[in-house]
Amino acid sequence: MPHLQDTPPIVLTIAGSDSGGGAGIQADIKAISATGGYACSVITAITSQNTQGVSAIHPVPTEHVASQLDAVFSDLQVIAVKVGMLADADIIRVVAKKIRQYQPQWLVVDPVMVATSGDLLLQRSAIESLKNELIPLADLITPNLPEAAALIGANTPTNEDQMGALIEPLRALQARAVLLKGGHLDQTSDSNDLLVTNHHSELIRSQRVVTTNTHGTGCTLSAAIASYLAQGHRLHKAACLAKQYLTQALTHADELDVGRGHGPVHHFFAGYSHVR
C-alpha cells in the first residue's frame, strides 16, 4: 500500500554534486521532494559542471563518504536509497559496505557512467567493482542503453529488438530487477523503457518529448522511483509513476531558461508560477 503517514518517507541519494543544478545530487533532491519524499544526501564527488559539460571532477575522500553514510543512517530512518555517480572503485566499495551494514529496505542503483554532454563520470576501471560489489545488492538498476552495453560488454542497441537481446545478460548481473531505458533510440516517436525481473519483462511506454533540455533525466527518473518505493508502491507501479513524472518534467522543460547547452528538466512543474 502507498505511504499514508503525514510525514514524507526518507529517501537517501548517494551521488555527485552538479554545480549547474540540473543533474546529480541536486536533481535527485528536487525529484524526491517533488514526488513526495524527504531527501537526504551523501556526496561522492564534486563536479565543475554546467549545461555544456563537465570541466572537472573531484572525488570525495572515501573516509568522508563513509562518515556521511554513518551520520545519515545512524539518525534518520531511511526507507529507500538511490545511488548515482560513484566516480571510482574505492568509493563503490565503501558504499557497498555501508549498504550491507545498514540494509535499507530499497536500493535503486543508477549506473552513471557518462553525462548527457558525453563526459565520462566513472573511471572505466571501476565498472567491474560496480558489477561485483554494488549491483548484486540492488533491488533495481536503471541503465540507459550505452550504460547497459558497457556493463555487459555489448554494442549499444539501435532498435527495440536489439534492446530486448540485452535482457538475459542484464539478468546475469544479479540485481533483482532492471529498468533498461530506451531514450537513446531517438529515431522512434516513443521513449519506451523495459522493466526486467527474474521471470518477466514489460515495456513501459510513453510518447517521446521533443526538447534539448534533457540534462539530468536519468538521475531524475531513478530518484523518483526510489521516492515512490519509499511511499509503499510496488516496483512496477513506482516505475510507471516515475516515468509519468519525468515525462511531465520534460514536457515543461522548455519553460525554463537555464544555460546554453542541454538544460535541465522542470522538476517543479506542478507548483511553478512566474513571479512578476
Side-chain angles (χ1 to χ4, degrees), residues 2-231:
H3 188 83
L4 299 177
Q5 298 179 15
D6 292 335
T7 302
I10 297 173
V11 182
L12 169 63
T13 166
I14 305 171
S17 170
D18 172 6
S19 51
I25 283 284
Q26 288 82 353
D28 291 348
I29 290 173
K30 292 172 187 178
I32 292 164
S33 301
T35 55
Y38 175 87
C40 55
S41 64
V42 166
I43 296 177
T44 58
I46 300 169
T47 71
S48 301
Q49 185 175 173
N50 56 29
T51 64
Q52 299 181 82
V54 181
S55 56
I57 298 174
H58 176 68
V60 172
T62 54
E63 60 270 21
H64 190 57
V65 174
S67 69
Q68 290 178 79
L69 288 161
D70 288 334
V72 171
F73 278 114
S74 65
D75 183 44
L76 280 64
Q77 186 180 353
V78 174
I79 305 299
V81 175
K82 174 264 168 85
V83 175
M85 177 187 175
L86 295 178
D88 61 38
D90 289 340
I91 292 174
I92 291 169
R93 284 190 284 269
V94 166
V95 169
K97 177 182 177 181
K98 293 300 181 180
I99 292 295
R100 289 192 294 266
Q101 178 181 345
Y102 292 108
Q103 299 187 359
Q105 183 176 342
W106 293 102
L107 176 63
V108 176
V109 175
D110 186 21
V112 176
M113 298 178 188
V114 181
T116 303
S117 59
D119 294 287
L120 190 67
L121 296 176
L122 178 69
Q123 296 175 3
R124 297 190 188 281
S125 59
I127 294 176
E128 288 303 311
S129 294
L130 185 67
K131 290 166 60 175
N132 296 330
E133 298 278 348
L134 192 60
I135 285 177
L137 303 177
D139 295 288
L140 179 71
I141 62 172
T142 62
N144 60 30
L145 295 180
E147 290 163 349
L151 285 171
I152 64 174
N155 293 325
T156 301
T158 57
N159 58 55
E160 285 194 352
D161 287 341
Q162 293 176 6
M163 185 174 168
L166 301 186
I167 290 175
E168 291 308 319
L170 287 171
R171 281 184 173 136
L173 295 177
Q174 298 184 327
R176 291 183 180 86
V178 179
L179 184 68
L180 179 58
K181 299 176 295 191
H184 282 74
L185 300 181
D186 54 11
Q187 72 276 19
T188 66
S189 60
D190 295 328
S191 180
N192 299 330
D193 300 337
L194 186 62
L195 182 61
V196 179
T197 60
N198 286 337
H199 306 291
H200 182 69
S201 62
E202 178 181 347
L203 275 178
I204 299 178
R205 301 180 182 275
S206 69
Q207 189 76 18
R208 182 176 299 277
V209 178
V210 179
T211 177
T212 60
N213 292 331
T214 57
H215 187 48
T217 50
C219 305
T220 297
L221 181 65
S222 54
I225 292 172
S227 178
Y228 286 124
L229 288 170
Q231 293 170 57

